[in-house]
Amino acid sequence: MTPAIGLRAALLAGVALVALAIALAVEHQGKHKESLPTPAGQWYTALAAPYMPSTTTAKGACGVTIGPKTAGVAHPELPCGVKIYVKFDGKEVLTQVVDRGHVIPGREFDVTQGLAKLLGLQGTQTIQWRFAR
């Protein structure tokens, strides 16, 4: 093998190796990129207000540890873990049921302090919500 042919073969092998590394990186990225669940059905309206469990960090009825940054909702009837989209003041957040709701007449959801902060929700407000698939 002449030096020119050997150099050419080494360069081609290097290019093939770089192409393989790029292909593996792109495939790895594609596999680990999670997309949000698709919204399902129509938007519903409900009254909601922020709440905080009696201590700074406590387990809710669904077994989820709820702290100041937890983004979730409490609802008296929806099953634990159900994913829903909540919309308020132009902001839409995917969240889930993490606790059982406080039964206050007229209010359907309690939102954790973390979710209230994400939505900019203070006091009792009308929100929109719908299920996620």
Side-chain angles (χ1 to χ4, degrees), residues 41-68:
Q42 65 184 14
W43 286 102
Y44 300 98
T45 59
L47 287 178
Y51 85 107
M52 184 66 191
S54 57
T55 60
T56 55
T57 302
K59 272 202 178 185
C62 296
V64 175
T65 301
I66 301 170

Side-chain angles (χ1 to χ4, degrees), residues 23-35:
L24 288 173
V26 167
E27 179 184 356
H28 178 75
Q29 227 177 12
K31 283 184 179 177
H32 293 288
K33 215 179 236 184
E34 294 183 30
S35 60

